[in-house]
Amino acid sequence: MDAEPDGARDAEPDYRFTLANERTFLAWIRTALGLLAGGVAVGQVVPPFGVPGATAALSLMCLGLAAVLAATSYPRWRAVQRAMRAGRPLPSSRAVLVLAVGVLVVTLTAAVLVVVG
């Protein structure tokens, strides 16, 4: 187990909460893997758009968002686990906002590229 920064572990949380936290972590990882697969598919399978470099840009947007989600999922899981053990409120996260805005930007970019040709 990871050592707590303040050296205290108040209580083992109910296993159902621990498992729910783990499922949430795995959902973030699955989302990152889906974005990774989408980025690779755009870069390797999608025919080039009429705009030079657009396919690579769209692919990199998906890959970048996947990297951000993968990099932030474990620290989020750990922070939630620590808060549950200490009986503190769960920490807020910007990951949901980042994901929503990121997917919106990728979607709008893809829509524009499809319309433009």
Side-chain angles (χ1 to χ4, degrees):
M1 289 273 175
D2 295 319
E4 296 294 321
D6 58 3
R9 286 188 191 263
D10 295 347
E12 183 70 24
D14 184 318
Y15 73 91
R16 293 172 291 185
F17 299 125
T18 298
L19 293 175
N21 189 28
E22 183 177 327
R23 284 190 303 273
T24 302
F25 165 74
L26 293 172
W28 285 109
I29 293 296
R30 279 191 307 273
T31 303
L33 287 171
L35 285 163
L36 173 64
V40 170
V42 167
Q44 297 296 312
V45 179
V46 173
F49 293 103
V51 179
T55 304
L58 188 60
S59 177
L60 288 173
M61 289 166 61
C62 291
L63 296 173
L65 189 54
V68 168
L69 288 178
T72 59
S73 61
Y74 177 76
R76 169 70 179 160
W77 171 84
R78 189 171 170 181
V80 168
Q81 198 65 21
R82 284 181 172 175
M84 288 190 306
R85 286 180 178 279
R88 295 187 315 260
L90 299 182
S92 62
S93 173
R94 292 189 177 142
V96 174
L97 178 61
V98 169
L99 178 60
V101 170
V103 169
L104 177 65
V105 168
V106 169
T107 302
L108 292 175
T109 303
V112 167
L113 291 172
V114 167
V115 170
V116 169

